[in-house]
Amino acid sequence: MSNLHEILAYNESFVRNKEYEPYATTKFPNKKMVILSCMDTRLVELLPKSLNIQNGDVKIVKSAGAIINHPFGGIMRSLLVAVYALQAEEIFVIGHHDCGMASVDPNAMIDSMIGRGVDASTVDILTNAGVNVHEWLEGFDNVADSVQHSVDMIKNHPLLIPTIKVHGLIIDPATGKLDLVHDGTKD
């Protein structure tokens, strides 16, 4: 059975048995906060548990490495929507140790794309159109520096008011221990 069909079969039972009822909440975060975290599989349950977050408490935005690549891209838009449309008052950027983005090699990624069927000329076309694909795919060397970079992009965004606190943390994906990178209450 494929993942899709397994999910659909489970979901049918979930809805029929009203297993969704304990998760009922509103679209507004109870704790008035939004978290930008990595999409790492180890954080799916560990991150909320280690922060004492329940369903309905926060908005969670995920991106590879908790990285904001562009100040006017989808990640930043999601954070601004959380603040201005959904009542978030604090933003937490939470990266993690042993992140896959720390070891991403843009050349290897492009080779993998081509190996799986992306036409090699597509990368050339994007490059000639002004898109630096290598830079766009690039990871980071130091997770604390990467978290601070995302914090700075958020804090300095022209559409974010200075009363919104922006914090930076690093979580250990094995234990859930948090290390503080930036305390937004001190800005």
Side-chain angles (χ1 to χ4, degrees), residues 153-168:
M153 283 192 76
I154 297 165
K155 281 182 18 180
N156 297 316
H157 198 279
L159 298 176
L160 190 73
I161 55 176
T163 57
I164 301 300
K165 297 173 192 79
V166 184
H167 313 288

Side-chain angles (χ1 to χ4, degrees), residues 124-135:
D124 294 333
I125 291 168
L126 290 171
T127 300
N128 291 333
V131 177
N132 187 334
V133 179
H134 289 82
E135 183 179 299

Side-chain angles (χ1 to χ4, degrees), residues 70-102:
H70 194 282
F72 293 98
I75 300 300
M76 192 63 216
R77 180 184 59 216
S78 295
L79 297 174
L80 292 171
V81 166
V83 168
Y84 294 114
L86 301 170
Q87 304 171 355
E89 296 173 355
E90 289 182 89
I91 300 172
F92 290 72
V93 177
I94 305 178
H96 66 94
H97 297 293
D98 190 33
C99 183
M101 283 302 288

Side-chain angles (χ1 to χ4, degrees), residues 57-68:
D57 282 347
V58 303
K59 294 294 183 183
I60 298 179
V61 177
K62 294 195 173 239
S63 74
I67 295 171
I68 300 174

Side-chain angles (χ1 to χ4, degrees), residues 93-123:
V93 177
I94 305 178
H96 66 94
H97 297 293
D98 190 33
C99 183
M101 283 302 288
S103 61
V104 168
D105 174 1
N107 292 320
M109 181 100 87
I110 291 169
D111 289 346
S112 178
M113 291 174 184
I114 293 167
R116 293 182 67 179
V118 172
D119 191 318
S121 66
T122 301
V123 176

Side-chain angles (χ1 to χ4, degrees), residues 11-77:
N11 181 258
E12 183 179 335
S13 170
F14 180 86
V15 173
R16 182 179 54 253
N17 296 325
K18 297 184 179 186
E19 294 178 51
Y20 54 83
E21 289 178 346
Y23 305 103
T25 188
T26 71
K27 64 184 175 181
F28 301 102
N30 297 328
K31 293 189 176 185
K32 298 191 180 293
M33 54 191 270
V34 58
I35 294 171
L36 169 59
S37 77
C38 185
M39 63 182 191
D40 192 285
T41 58
R42 297 169 290 181
L43 302 181
V44 172
E45 291 187 43
L46 178 67
L47 180 68
K49 294 287 186 198
S50 68
L51 302 177
N52 191 30
I53 291 172
Q54 308 302 315
N55 195 57
D57 282 347
V58 303
K59 294 294 183 183
I60 298 179
V61 177
K62 294 195 173 239
S63 74
I67 295 171
I68 300 174
N69 278 348
H70 194 282
F72 293 98
I75 300 300
M76 192 63 216
R77 180 184 59 216

